[in-house]
């Protein structure tokens, strides 16, 4: 049969980095590509104890159908936690989703008709770009500065796109650039969104993984109009394989999200929802996150030192991240980055992601690559950066 | 803020049975409403042993990110199983999804643009109706006969709707009617779909729960053109809370489905995918299904006997199901069924679903209700049917 697929799929071309990703899964590759936590980041023993306990003492609660909103105890815990930590409230409800990716997809479906506009930081998270495109919306990218999105250009984008429905932002240790949006800019983004009637979709998967300094409150904490949708995830601080994330938003919005969630996958895996809840309430989540912060800070420092040591003769344009999982290196001169990353993986088994794939707009050239430091071992970090340095010579 | 939601949500009105469902969750209610397995249907000890084993011996495989296609060993097992049992092959691939509900949603998104038509058996599964509507497609219902869809009317619907992209069918023990599509009709459906270039979406959540007789091969087994998409689920034979289902389709289709799956939730919960695989390969799935069949046959027989005993003076129009979870009773005279079911829950704590909610088209009246026999206990079945009989007097 000659299939006629939906137009939604037109914008979703086979990825330019498919080749890189294909090679990346090999065991001898240095994994600077994905955002995977390392094996030692999973609280394996605790998860084993918890699931064992659940399947012994309340198995039916974990194995039976649940409600689309999510496990009520987990929802209540998160509501209180968000309220305590960030002063998030004002009729905000919390629903559980199957990872932050589902949150982005459901929010888009809730607000966007075909042809509506979503405004993004440019560059931004590939998964978000794919989710937006799969919903047939038009994407408008706004450049990033060292302290977050260029707010003048953001206002211009809001003005020029009266059918803009959503502004998507990752304020902490942005993927891929590692940039953190300053407190001032957060307020500015909120005020602009309010002025132009645009929903802010605030994605915060890495926020807990801050190396030093004080947390900056999320944009959601400023929200007295119900225009900010806050998305959290347990993928980076607990386990990505279990697919548990959450959305905090005004309850008029969550009511709509729940309808679409029900139509999409009924509810999120219950055993994992209860596992997350038990970990949060019966185990030491703070100690666990502190352990992760130390681990990632160490890996980041090592990668940073190796860059200074091995990538010589280049004045790299690189904003030092204050947390998260990624560094973003812009090389000073014109390099075909796709070609460079292809060579890195094929000739040297170093998996990097070329910067251009994170940009809205197909033909943007980028001198940058993204390197992840959470997945590789210490020796892989040293060895991989050394190889990159030699390639640049 | 005065939210402007997507038009997708326009067709998704608050459910007419919300009140019934609200009361249904109370513990003293007789649960004839949902399609939940009873507690004793879950292989709790096996699941406990399996998850324990996974988290002891291969925890990282279960807790790390996985690929969107699903756990490879489970995919390969299912490919072989479908090939052995049903002769399903012809370039068919298998991908894992977060329950059959996600399969329906993803298939719709893969083939349908706004305004395209999906043709359904009428009445049909509420979750499918919601998934279709949430994708802004137009639904056309085709009446059911005792041995499946009215194929003359189906052809007429195909002719009248040149933008029909999908025909959605549940050939075994259909939800809500319990009707099984005959072998002849399956062939007829396949040939019509081929003639009119429409994809058949074959949903088979209950197929394994056949009381007696031989299995009838799925429509997919006839498919030499790659026009049938077969959806299976572990919700009814293993656990709905773990949200694991699968899609078997031509690999040109699965390639598109995987892109949308990735944009939707990255991948299905890995711990549960591996748990399902281990159960299928290391435990006695056949014995488990035989146990379920016996249990449901017993409950069905009991409900059937109670109907004959307590609902007297009515010649009920009721097709005896050959498996699955539901019976569908059409009362011979005009009753306001929504009113009847509201009374049943509020005055008598018996939860039934009024037939009209399963129909395409808002204003269809129905003299039928759906009663589930898997969830209630034996004494609840007897007591509930007795109450319904008294209400009808």
């Amino acid at each position: 049969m000659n299939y006629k697929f939906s137009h939604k799929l037109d914008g979703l071309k086979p990825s330019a980095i498919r080749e890189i990703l294909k090679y990346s899964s090999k065991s001898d590759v240095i994994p600077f590509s994905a955002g995977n936590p390392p094996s030692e980041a999973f609280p394996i023993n605790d998860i084993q104890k918890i699931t064992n306990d659940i399947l012994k003492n309340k198995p039916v609660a974990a194995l039976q159908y649940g409600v689309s909103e999510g496990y009520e105890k987990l929802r209540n815990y998160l509501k209180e936690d968000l309220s305590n930590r960030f002063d998030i409230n004002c009729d905000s409800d919390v629903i559980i989703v199957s990872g932050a990716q589902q949150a982005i997809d459901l929010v888009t479906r809730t607000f966007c008709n075909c042809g509506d506009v979503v405004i993004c930081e440019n560059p931004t998270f590939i998964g978000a770009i794919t989710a937006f495109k799969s919903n047939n919306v038009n994407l408008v990218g706004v450049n990033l500065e060292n302290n977050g999105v260029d707010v003048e250009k953001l206002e211009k984008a809001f003005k020029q796109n009266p059918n803009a429905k959503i502004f998507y932002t990752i304020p902490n240790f942005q993927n891929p650039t590692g940039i953190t949006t300053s407190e001032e800019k957060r307020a500015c983004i909120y005020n602009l969104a309010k002025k132009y009637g645009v929903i802010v979709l605030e994605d915060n998967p890495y926020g807990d993984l801050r190396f030093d300094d004080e947390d900056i409150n999320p944009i959601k904490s400023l929200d007295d109009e119900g225009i900010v949708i806050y998305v959290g995830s347990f993928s980076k601080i607990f386990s990505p394989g279990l697919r548990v994330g959450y959305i905090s938003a005004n309850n008029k919005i969550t009511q709509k999200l729940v309808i679409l969630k029900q139509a999409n996958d009924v509810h999120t895996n219950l055993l994992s929802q209860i596992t997350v809840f038990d970990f949060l309430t019966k185990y030491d989540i703070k100690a666990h996150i502190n352990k992760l912060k130390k681990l990632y800070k160490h890996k980041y420092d090592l990668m940073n030192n190796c860059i200074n040591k091995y990538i010589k003769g280049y004045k790299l344009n690189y904003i030092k991240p204050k947390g998260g999982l990624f560094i973003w290196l812009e090389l000073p001169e014109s390099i075909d980055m796709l070609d460079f990353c292809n060579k890195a993986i094929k000739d040297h088994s170093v998996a990097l992601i070329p910067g251009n794939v994170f940009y809205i707009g197909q033909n943007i050239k980028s001198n940058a690559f993204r390197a992840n430091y959470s997945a590789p071992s210490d020796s892989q970090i040293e060895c991989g950066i050394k190889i990159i340095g030699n390639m640049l010579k």
Side-chain angles (χ1 to χ4, degrees), chain A:
Chain A
M1 188 179 184
N2 204 352
Y3 302 112
K4 280 183 205 153
F5 296 113
S6 158
H7 299 319
K8 289 177 205 75
L9 287 153
D10 294 348
L12 298 168
K13 298 271 152 54
S15 167
I17 54 167
R18 181 181 281 185
E19 284 289 295
I20 295 172
L21 294 175
K22 206 176 77 187
Y23 283 90
S24 299
S25 60
K26 290 186 181 171
S27 63
D28 60 340
V29 160
I30 295 178
F32 291 166
S33 50
N36 292 14
S39 308
E40 66 265 35
F42 303 125
I44 292 170
N45 290 336
D46 295 346
I47 294 176
Q48 194 180 6
K49 275 185 219 153
I50 292 167
T51 54
N52 212 23
D53 175 64
I54 294 169
L55 291 167
K56 197 172 165 191
N57 297 313
K58 44 187 170 183
V60 177
L63 300 175
Q64 188 56 277
Y65 280 110
V67 295
S68 301
E69 289 86 344
Y71 185 59
E72 200 177 355
K73 288 180 182 173
L74 178 58
R75 292 174 62 211
N76 289 337
Y77 173 91
L78 291 169
K79 268 185 241 180
E80 209 179 307
D81 185 58
L82 289 169
S83 166
N84 290 342
R85 288 167 67 202
F86 302 131
D87 199 23
I88 289 179
N89 209 325
C90 81
D91 300 322
S92 272
D93 196 4
V94 167
I95 62 168
I96 311 299
V97 288
S98 307
Q101 182 71 39
Q102 192 186 38
I104 300 170
D105 189 25
L106 292 178
V107 169
T108 312
R109 296 172 83 177
T110 299
F111 285 96
C112 295
N113 293 305
C114 300
D116 279 345
V117 167
V118 171
I119 297 176
C120 298
E121 295 162 343
N122 207 18
T124 192
F125 169 45
I126 302 177
I129 296 177
T130 316
F132 296 134
K133 283 188 177 171
S134 77
N135 284 293
N136 247 345
V137 302
N138 294 321
L139 292 178
V140 171
V142 179
N143 286 357
L144 283 163
E145 298 176 317
N146 286 1
N147 60 349
V149 71
D150 182 329
V151 287
E152 273 182 36
K153 286 188 179 152
L154 181 64
E155 176 152 25
K156 210 170 146 190
F158 283 161
K159 266 189 196 157
Q160 284 175 343
N161 295 283
N163 62 338
K165 296 293 168 67
I166 294 168
F167 170 57
Y168 173 73
T169 176
I170 308 169
N172 292 314
F173 334 125
Q174 200 247 12
N175 180 359
T177 62
I179 287 170
T180 293
T181 303
S182 67
E183 200 165 356
E184 296 70 30
K185 279 210 169 165
R186 292 180 194 215
C188 192
I189 290 167
Y190 176 71
N191 289 326
L192 285 175
K194 190 155 85 173
K195 182 172 168 189
Y196 290 94
V198 174
I199 294 289
V200 177
L201 177 52
E202 179 174 29
D203 190 8
N204 191 23
Y206 320 110
D208 285 319
L209 302 174
R210 177 179 287 274
F211 301 147
D212 317 293
D213 303 346
E214 288 275 296
D215 281 342
I216 305 176
N217 266 349
I219 305 170
K220 181 69 182 159
S221 69
L222 306 168
D223 188 19
D224 50 20
E225 300 267 323
I227 61 168
V228 183
I229 299 176
Y230 177 90
V231 176
S233 169
F234 292 99
S235 289
K236 309 302 185 191
I237 58 168
F238 190 62
S239 153
L242 300 185
R243 313 299 312 129
V244 182
Y246 58 94
I247 302 173
S248 170
N250 182 281
N251 55 24
K252 283 184 197 159
I253 297 175
T254 57
Q255 280 165 23
K256 300 293 180 181
L257 286 167
V258 166
I259 294 174
L260 289 178
K261 165 86 180 154
Q262 189 163 31
N264 183 208
D265 68 356
V266 189
H267 63 78
T268 294
N269 188 296
L270 256 174
L271 176 58
S272 292
Q273 288 191 66
I274 304 176
T275 302
V276 167
F277 174 73
D278 284 1
F279 185 70
L280 290 171
T281 52
K282 296 179 185 166
Y283 289 73
D284 195 344
I285 173 78
K286 274 194 188 164
H288 177 65
I289 288 177
N290 281 335
K291 183 189 137 184
L292 294 182
K293 283 180 180 186
K294 253 191 210 162
L295 179 66
Y296 294 156
K297 174 77 162 70
H298 161 77
K299 281 171 182 283
Y300 160 71
D301 282 341
L302 178 63
M303 187 175 266
N304 192 39
N305 292 339
C306 289
I307 288 168
N308 290 331
K309 187 169 163 193
Y310 295 114
I311 307 190
K312 282 184 180 163
Y314 279 85
K315 199 182 166 300
L316 295 166
N317 190 0
Y318 140 53
I319 302 135
K320 291 182 179 158
K322 293 188 168 173
L325 309 176
F326 304 109
I327 62 165
W328 174 257
L329 279 111
E330 270 177 40
L331 302 176
E333 53 202 77
S334 184
I335 285 185
D336 183 331
M337 198 39 78
L338 189 55
D339 186 57
F340 181 83
C341 293
N342 263 319
K343 245 183 220 148
I345 186 75
K346 284 184 190 166
D347 298 347
H348 306 283
S349 293
V350 177
L352 292 170
I353 308 283
N356 56 297
V357 305
F358 301 96
Y359 280 92
I360 316 296
Q362 292 287 333
N363 299 316
I364 285 184
K365 287 200 175 161
S366 169
N367 266 356
F369 61 81
R370 189 191 75 177
N372 162 273
Y373 47 79
S374 65
S377 67
D378 287 7
S379 62
Q380 284 179 317
I381 289 174
E382 175 128 22
C383 177
I385 298 295
K386 200 170 171 180
I387 288 169
I388 293 168
N390 285 334
M391 283 179 68
L392 286 169
K393 267 176 195 163

